[in-house]
């Protein structure tokens, strides 16, 4: 088999960890596999570099930022290749450029456009283990780019797809994907298997094991992923195409997101184009709106519009909304910071009814008020009071029987 193994920051945090990674890689190779390794920077390194940049400049240029940030993965890829050679296997380290990872020109959050893997294929044919610096690429004009935070997951998946690998293993410091945050629910269960779609929802809802974009890529190109720990030999969680078995489970996981602010515009005129105006302006400011609820008054003259934005953008969003309210002569603007979003996710919802009702009932039974609701085919999300987050996670985990049996 051709296996891509990606090791995250904690897995390559120091010399001892890098040697442990090398041992696992060599073991995998000696079992008769071709191995391509993708590494992150040592944990904390990227943050440290960002911090340094801000110490010397109030507004560092993104081009130089990318040169700087890509250095972290250069270090770990070179060290990992050395450690593998030390164990008697041939290994060679490649930068993003040497791997032929061609991206667009958007510095600090570039998209991969193609991978010209000729050199990598030749090295693999010559029985080298490849160690690729994750998170980085190069533009057509040879500018170094990075792929956004957590981007080495994406590097790994894209490389697995380009090389037509049989499996892409993502090594991290947890055993896999859990039914919910084990810090809140100690008997949360590790999932053996989860669908790409569920994983995308969970990742974008704040379950931090995988970068959302990497799962979207894996789903599109059908790259089977395994999330597992580099600290033990437990089997991990397989992220794969949906199958019949997955449908039998109604809810696969409970997620929460405390990074939410709700903004409400009251008494806006009810006529075509109003929502377009509001959300165009907010989108143009680069703010990502999550939930939107609109309610039109019975006489049909006015509407209230509520929406949520990431807490980190709430000041900017509020300022814009105030401007818009004045222009539209809306009645007012209200904001709530003390909220969180609780979600249940599961492909089984497509074929089971009454799932949302059970969620609402459970919250009601515990005196938790629902402020906003949104649903998709495989997800129900509720905005609730921030202080009930942990309680809501616990009771929903129980209602949908997600705990270890
Ligand atoms: N080192 C980069 C980061 O911290 C990329 C990664 O670890 O995936 O975001
Ligand atoms: Mg990561």
């Amino acid at each position: 088999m051709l296996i891509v193994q990606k090791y995250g920051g904690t897995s390559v945090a120091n010399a001892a960890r890098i040697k442990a990674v090398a041992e696992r890689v060599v073991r995998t190779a000696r079992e008769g596999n071709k191995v391509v390794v993708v590494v992150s920077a040592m944990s904390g390194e990227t943050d440290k570099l960002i911090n340094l940049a801000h110490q010397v400049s109030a507004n560092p240029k993104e081009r130089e930022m990318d040169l700087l940030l890509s250095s972290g993965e250069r270090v770990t890829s070179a060290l990992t290749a050395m450690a593998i050679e030390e164990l008697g296997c041939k290994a060679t380290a490649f930068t993003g450029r040497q791997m032929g990872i061609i991206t667009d020109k958007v510095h600090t959050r570039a998209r991969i456009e193609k991978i010209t893997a000729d050199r990598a294929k030749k090295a693999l044919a010559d029985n080298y283990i490849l160690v690729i610096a994750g998170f980085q690429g190069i533009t057509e004009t040879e500018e170094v780019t990075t792929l956004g935070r957590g981007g080495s997951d994406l590097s790994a998946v894209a490389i697995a797809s380009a090389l037509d690998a049989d499996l892409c293993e993502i090594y991290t410091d947890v055993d896999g994907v859990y039914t919910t945050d084990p810090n809140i629910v100690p008997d949360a269960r590790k999932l053996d298997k989860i669908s790409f779609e569920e994983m995308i929802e969970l990742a974008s809802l704040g379950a931090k094991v995988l970068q959302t974009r990497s799962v979207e890529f894996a789903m599109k190109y059908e790259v089977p992923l395994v999330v597992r720990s580099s600290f033990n030999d437990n089997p991990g969680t397989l992220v794969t195409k949906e199958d019949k078995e997955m449908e039998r489970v109604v809810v696969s996981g409970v997620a929460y997101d405390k990074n939410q602010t709700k903004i409400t515009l009251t008494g806006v005129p009810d006529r075509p184009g109003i929502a377009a105006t509001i959300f165009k302006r907010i989108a143009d400011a680069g703010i990502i709106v999550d939930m939107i609820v609109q309610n039109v008054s019975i006489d049909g003259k006015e509407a209230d519009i509520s929406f949520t934005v990431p807490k980190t953008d709430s000041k900017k969003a509020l300022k814009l909304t105030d401007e818009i309210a004045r222009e539209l002569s809306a009645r007012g603007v209200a904001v709530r910071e003390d909220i969180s979003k609780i979600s249940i996710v599961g492909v089984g919802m497509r074929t089971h009814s009454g799932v949302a009702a059970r969620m609402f009932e459970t919250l009601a039974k515990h005196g938790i008020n629902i402020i906003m609701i949104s649903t998709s085919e495989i997800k129900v999300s509720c905005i609730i009071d921030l202080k009930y987050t942990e309680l809501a996670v616990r009771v929903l985990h129980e209602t949908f029987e997600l705990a270890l049996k």
Side-chain angles (χ1 to χ4, degrees), residues 6-9 40 149-153 170 172 208-211:
K6 182 258 167 177
Y7 292 92
S40 288
R149 295 309 303 270
S152 42
D153 288 345
I170 308 281
T172 177
K208 282 175 219 63
V209 278
L210 283 172
Q211 188 213 33

Side-chain angles (χ1 to χ4, degrees), residues 268-281:
V268 289
D270 181 30
R271 55 164 200 264
I274 297 289
T277 310
I278 298 171
F279 293 110
K280 167 96 177 35
R281 289 271 288 278

